[in-house]
PDB file of all heavy atoms in Angstrom:
ATOM      1  N   SER A  29      -4.953 -18.969   9.963  1.00 91.00           N
ATOM      2  CA  SER A  29      -4.903 -19.167  11.409  1.00 91.00           C
ATOM      3  C   SER A  29      -5.466 -17.942  12.137  1.00 91.00           C
ATOM      4  O   SER A  29      -5.574 -16.853  11.578  1.00 91.00           O
ATOM      5  CB  SER A  29      -3.460 -19.411  11.856  1.00 91.00           C
ATOM      6  OG  SER A  29      -2.719 -18.215  11.783  1.00 91.00           O
ATOM      7  N   LYS A  44      -6.707   2.331   7.721  1.00 97.00           N
ATOM      8  CA  LYS A  44      -7.741   3.367   7.858  1.00 97.00           C
ATOM      9  C   LYS A  44      -7.214   4.555   8.665  1.00 97.00           C
ATOM     10  O   LYS A  44      -7.471   5.711   8.328  1.00 97.00           O
ATOM     11  CB  LYS A  44      -8.982   2.798   8.556  1.00 97.00           C
ATOM     12  CG  LYS A  44      -9.729   1.775   7.764  1.00 97.00           C
ATOM     13  CD  LYS A  44     -10.879   1.233   8.606  1.00 97.00           C
ATOM     14  CE  LYS A  44     -11.497   0.001   8.021  1.00 97.00           C
ATOM     15  NZ  LYS A  44     -12.519  -0.574   8.918  1.00 97.00           N
ATOM     16  N   VAL A  45      -6.490   4.256   9.726  1.00 98.00           N
ATOM     17  CA  VAL A  45      -5.950   5.322  10.589  1.00 98.00           C
ATOM     18  C   VAL A  45      -4.914   6.140   9.828  1.00 98.00           C
ATOM     19  O   VAL A  45      -4.933   7.370   9.883  1.00 98.00           O
ATOM     20  CB  VAL A  45      -5.346   4.737  11.892  1.00 98.00           C
ATOM     21  CG1 VAL A  45      -4.711   5.836  12.734  1.00 98.00           C
ATOM     22  CG2 VAL A  45      -6.399   3.993  12.694  1.00 98.00           C
ATOM     23  N   VAL A  54      -0.095   9.564  13.908  1.00 97.00           N
ATOM     24  CA  VAL A  54      -0.633   8.274  14.353  1.00 97.00           C
ATOM     25  C   VAL A  54       0.192   7.739  15.524  1.00 97.00           C
ATOM     26  O   VAL A  54       1.418   7.749  15.502  1.00 97.00           O
ATOM     27  CB  VAL A  54      -0.642   7.251  13.197  1.00 97.00           C
ATOM     28  CG1 VAL A  54      -1.037   5.864  13.683  1.00 97.00           C
ATOM     29  CG2 VAL A  54      -1.582   7.708  12.097  1.00 97.00           C
ATOM     30  N   CYS A  63      -8.701  -0.850  16.183  1.00 95.00           N
ATOM     31  CA  CYS A  63      -8.793  -2.316  16.104  1.00 95.00           C
ATOM     32  C   CYS A  63      -9.698  -2.907  17.178  1.00 95.00           C
ATOM     33  O   CYS A  63     -10.202  -4.020  17.014  1.00 95.00           O
ATOM     34  CB  CYS A  63      -7.409  -2.941  16.245  1.00 95.00           C
ATOM     35  SG  CYS A  63      -6.304  -2.578  14.879  1.00 95.00           S
ATOM     36  N   TYR A  71       0.948  -5.683  20.644  1.00 94.00           N
ATOM     37  CA  TYR A  71       2.394  -5.873  20.749  1.00 94.00           C
ATOM     38  C   TYR A  71       2.814  -7.327  20.535  1.00 94.00           C
ATOM     39  O   TYR A  71       3.995  -7.606  20.379  1.00 94.00           O
ATOM     40  CB  TYR A  71       2.912  -5.325  22.087  1.00 94.00           C
ATOM     41  CG  TYR A  71       2.967  -3.815  22.084  1.00 94.00           C
ATOM     42  CD1 TYR A  71       2.041  -3.062  22.793  1.00 94.00           C
ATOM     43  CD2 TYR A  71       3.937  -3.141  21.348  1.00 94.00           C
ATOM     44  CE1 TYR A  71       2.075  -1.671  22.778  1.00 94.00           C
ATOM     45  CE2 TYR A  71       3.980  -1.748  21.326  1.00 94.00           C
ATOM     46  CZ  TYR A  71       3.050  -1.031  22.041  1.00 94.00           C
ATOM     47  OH  TYR A  71       3.093   0.342  22.018  1.00 94.00           O
ATOM     48  N   ILE A  82       4.973   0.182   7.644  1.00 93.00           N
ATOM     49  CA  ILE A  82       5.719  -0.501   6.589  1.00 93.00           C
ATOM     50  C   ILE A  82       4.946  -1.718   6.096  1.00 93.00           C
ATOM     51  O   ILE A  82       4.816  -1.940   4.886  1.00 93.00           O
ATOM     52  CB  ILE A  82       7.137  -0.877   7.083  1.00 93.00           C
ATOM     53  CG1 ILE A  82       7.987   0.397   7.193  1.00 93.00           C
ATOM     54  CG2 ILE A  82       7.791  -1.903   6.174  1.00 93.00           C
ATOM     55  CD1 ILE A  82       9.305   0.222   7.920  1.00 93.00           C
ATOM     56  N   LYS A  87       1.635  -4.460   2.047  1.00 94.00           N
ATOM     57  CA  LYS A  87       0.416  -5.215   1.754  1.00 94.00           C
ATOM     58  C   LYS A  87      -0.413  -4.485   0.700  1.00 94.00           C
ATOM     59  O   LYS A  87      -0.907  -5.109  -0.249  1.00 94.00           O
ATOM     60  CB  LYS A  87      -0.390  -5.416   3.034  1.00 94.00           C
ATOM     61  CG  LYS A  87      -1.641  -6.248   2.888  1.00 94.00           C
ATOM     62  CD  LYS A  87      -2.307  -6.428   4.246  1.00 94.00           C
ATOM     63  CE  LYS A  87      -3.532  -7.259   4.283  1.00 94.00           C
ATOM     64  NZ  LYS A  87      -4.269  -7.513   3.105  1.00 94.00           N
ATOM     65  N   LEU A 109      -7.532  -1.752 -19.365  1.00 88.00           N
ATOM     66  CA  LEU A 109      -6.633  -1.946 -18.225  1.00 88.00           C
ATOM     67  C   LEU A 109      -5.783  -0.707 -17.980  1.00 88.00           C
ATOM     68  O   LEU A 109      -5.692  -0.221 -16.850  1.00 88.00           O
ATOM     69  CB  LEU A 109      -5.745  -3.171 -18.474  1.00 88.00           C
ATOM     70  CG  LEU A 109      -4.781  -3.558 -17.369  1.00 88.00           C
ATOM     71  CD1 LEU A 109      -5.534  -3.949 -16.101  1.00 88.00           C
ATOM     72  CD2 LEU A 109      -3.901  -4.718 -17.831  1.00 88.00           C
ATOM     73  N   ARG A 120      -6.257   9.036  -7.072  1.00 86.00           N
ATOM     74  CA  ARG A 120      -5.395   9.057  -5.888  1.00 86.00           C
ATOM     75  C   ARG A 120      -4.754  10.422  -5.702  1.00 86.00           C
ATOM     76  O   ARG A 120      -4.711  10.958  -4.595  1.00 86.00           O
ATOM     77  CB  ARG A 120      -4.323   7.971  -6.017  1.00 86.00           C
ATOM     78  CG  ARG A 120      -3.446   7.815  -4.799  1.00 86.00           C
ATOM     79  CD  ARG A 120      -2.503   6.649  -4.977  1.00 86.00           C
ATOM     80  NE  ARG A 120      -1.539   6.895  -6.022  1.00 86.00           N
ATOM     81  CZ  ARG A 120      -0.272   7.239  -5.807  1.00 86.00           C
ATOM     82  NH1 ARG A 120       0.179   7.352  -4.581  1.00 86.00           N
ATOM     83  NH2 ARG A 120       0.548   7.436  -6.801  1.00 86.00           N
ATOM     84  N   PHE A 129      -1.008   8.175   0.303  1.00 87.00           N
ATOM     85  CA  PHE A 129      -0.008   9.048  -0.304  1.00 87.00           C
ATOM     86  C   PHE A 129       0.599  10.035   0.692  1.00 87.00           C
ATOM     87  O   PHE A 129       1.817  10.150   0.810  1.00 87.00           O
ATOM     88  CB  PHE A 129      -0.615   9.787  -1.505  1.00 87.00           C
ATOM     89  CG  PHE A 129       0.387  10.552  -2.304  1.00 87.00           C
ATOM     90  CD1 PHE A 129       1.200   9.903  -3.217  1.00 87.00           C
ATOM     91  CD2 PHE A 129       0.530  11.928  -2.149  1.00 87.00           C
ATOM     92  CE1 PHE A 129       2.132  10.602  -3.957  1.00 87.00           C
ATOM     93  CE2 PHE A 129       1.464  12.630  -2.884  1.00 87.00           C
ATOM     94  CZ  PHE A 129       2.264  11.974  -3.793  1.00 87.00           C
ATOM     95  N   ASP A 146      15.504   2.873   1.474  1.00 82.00           N
ATOM     96  CA  ASP A 146      15.400   1.688   0.617  1.00 82.00           C
ATOM     97  C   ASP A 146      13.952   1.209   0.550  1.00 82.00           C
ATOM     98  O   ASP A 146      13.464   0.846  -0.517  1.00 82.00           O
ATOM     99  CB  ASP A 146      16.297   0.559   1.126  1.00 82.00           C
ATOM    100  CG  ASP A 146      17.769   0.836   0.911  1.00 82.00           C
ATOM    101  OD1 ASP A 146      18.110   1.761   0.141  1.00 82.00           O
ATOM    102  OD2 ASP A 146      18.587   0.121   1.518  1.00 82.00           O
ATOM    103  N   PHE A 147      13.263   1.229   1.676  1.00 82.00           N
ATOM    104  CA  PHE A 147      11.848   0.847   1.704  1.00 82.00           C
ATOM    105  C   PHE A 147      11.054   1.775   0.792  1.00 82.00           C
ATOM    106  O   PHE A 147      10.242   1.333  -0.021  1.00 82.00           O
ATOM    107  CB  PHE A 147      11.301   0.908   3.133  1.00 82.00           C
ATOM    108  CG  PHE A 147       9.803   0.928   3.205  1.00 82.00           C
ATOM    109  CD1 PHE A 147       9.067  -0.207   2.922  1.00 82.00           C
ATOM    110  CD2 PHE A 147       9.133   2.101   3.532  1.00 82.00           C
ATOM    111  CE1 PHE A 147       7.678  -0.176   2.963  1.00 82.00           C
ATOM    112  CE2 PHE A 147       7.750   2.134   3.574  1.00 82.00           C
ATOM    113  CZ  PHE A 147       7.021   0.992   3.292  1.00 82.00           C
ATOM    114  N   LYS A 156       6.556   1.034 -10.756  1.00 87.00           N
ATOM    115  CA  LYS A 156       7.229   0.767 -12.031  1.00 87.00           C
ATOM    116  C   LYS A 156       6.907  -0.652 -12.509  1.00 87.00           C
ATOM    117  O   LYS A 156       6.628  -0.859 -13.687  1.00 87.00           O
ATOM    118  CB  LYS A 156       8.740   0.946 -11.856  1.00 87.00           C
ATOM    119  CG  LYS A 156       9.558   0.665 -13.081  1.00 87.00           C
ATOM    120  CD  LYS A 156      11.038   0.851 -12.783  1.00 87.00           C
ATOM    121  CE  LYS A 156      11.898   0.359 -13.922  1.00 87.00           C
ATOM    122  NZ  LYS A 156      13.324   0.457 -13.608  1.00 87.00           N
ATOM    123  N   ILE A 159       3.397  -0.736 -14.007  1.00 89.00           N
ATOM    124  CA  ILE A 159       3.347  -0.111 -15.328  1.00 89.00           C
ATOM    125  C   ILE A 159       4.004  -1.001 -16.372  1.00 89.00           C
ATOM    126  O   ILE A 159       3.463  -1.200 -17.470  1.00 89.00           O
ATOM    127  CB  ILE A 159       3.984   1.293 -15.299  1.00 89.00           C
ATOM    128  CG1 ILE A 159       3.129   2.224 -14.439  1.00 89.00           C
ATOM    129  CG2 ILE A 159       4.156   1.856 -16.706  1.00 89.00           C
ATOM    130  CD1 ILE A 159       3.768   3.561 -14.123  1.00 89.00           C
ATOM    131  N   LYS A 164       3.908  -4.598 -21.032  1.00 88.00           N
ATOM    132  CA  LYS A 164       4.263  -5.895 -21.629  1.00 88.00           C
ATOM    133  C   LYS A 164       3.016  -6.622 -22.110  1.00 88.00           C
ATOM    134  O   LYS A 164       3.013  -7.239 -23.167  1.00 88.00           O
ATOM    135  CB  LYS A 164       5.025  -6.759 -20.622  1.00 88.00           C
ATOM    136  CG  LYS A 164       6.449  -6.330 -20.400  1.00 88.00           C
ATOM    137  CD  LYS A 164       7.125  -7.209 -19.348  1.00 88.00           C
ATOM    138  CE  LYS A 164       8.475  -6.660 -18.978  1.00 88.00           C
ATOM    139  NZ  LYS A 164       9.088  -7.418 -17.875  1.00 88.00           N
TER     140      LYS A 164
END
Side-chain angles (χ1 to χ4, degrees):
S29 72
K44 293 176 193 175
V45 176
V54 173
C63 293
Y71 285 106
I82 288 169
K87 183 177 182 341
L109 182 63
R120 185 175 67 103
F129 188 79
D146 289 346
F147 163 72
K156 178 181 171 184
I159 293 170
K164 285 178 188 175

